[in-house]
Amino acid sequence: MTFIASWLGVDGSGWALTTGAQGVRLLGGVGGFDDPEFTAFWTERIGDGDRWRGSRLTRRTITLPVLVGTGETGMDWREVDRNWWRSLSRTNVGLLDVALEDASHRYIPLRLDRSSSSEIDFDPAITGFRTYLVTMVADDPYW
């Protein structure tokens, strides 16, 4: 399946994540595009078996492995990195847009849940690239 993913940041910036045209490119290993997690409710019986009481969908978590950088080094790389992180927020929502082959779109409002805590062995401004695993959360699990 081919899809095109874009991010409309909380600051109004737009990021073509599939192509990486603005300096942030989506890598493999995206999580959370399938069915959302749910919680099932059961009542225990005195005898064998349990009684199902229903279920509810919980918030949707989406993980986006991204490569930040265009190959530019120094302050040019730092500017792209700053702008990317400025587009994310723990309190306000941005919009993830996924377009499919049939030109249909799926949108989901997301906020930053947590960012990668990966270690770095060198200054990424030297190479002009850095990978992050960004975890986002949607209050409403539906696209």
Side-chain angles (χ1 to χ4, degrees), residues 7-11 59-66 81-96 108-117 132-139:
W7 172 249
L8 178 60
V10 298
D11 60 349
R59 63 187 172 266
R60 180 184 292 269
T61 301
I62 293 181
T63 54
L64 302 174
V66 295
D81 190 62
R82 275 191 211 113
N83 289 338
W84 166 246
W85 288 106
R86 194 175 296 128
S87 79
L88 304 171
S89 172
R90 297 181 315 265
T91 55
N92 299 315
V93 295
L95 192 68
L96 181 65
I108 192 160
L110 297 170
R111 73 183 81 242
L112 183 64
D113 188 40
R114 62 186 168 274
S115 62
S116 167
S117 59
Y132 295 102
L133 180 62
V134 180
T135 303
M136 313 272 273
V137 67
D139 304 345

Side-chain angles (χ1 to χ4, degrees), residues 31-101:
F33 278 26
D34 294 326
D35 292 337
E37 296 292 322
F38 67 91
T39 301
F41 299 100
W42 297 86
T43 301
E44 290 186 19
R45 294 182 176 176
I46 293 175
D48 294 336
D50 293 328
R51 183 175 192 150
W52 183 75
R53 294 294 188 178
S55 65
R56 72 182 267 287
L57 296 176
T58 56
R59 63 187 172 266
R60 180 184 292 269
T61 301
I62 293 181
T63 54
L64 302 174
V66 295
L67 178 69
V68 175
T70 59
E72 297 291 326
T73 58
M75 291 307 294
D76 292 333
W77 178 84
R78 292 186 198 289
E79 186 66 23
V80 171
D81 190 62
R82 275 191 211 113
N83 289 338
W84 166 246
W85 288 106
R86 194 175 296 128
S87 79
L88 304 171
S89 172
R90 297 181 315 265
T91 55
N92 299 315
V93 295
L95 192 68
L96 181 65
D97 171 19
V98 176
L100 302 178
E101 301 93 336

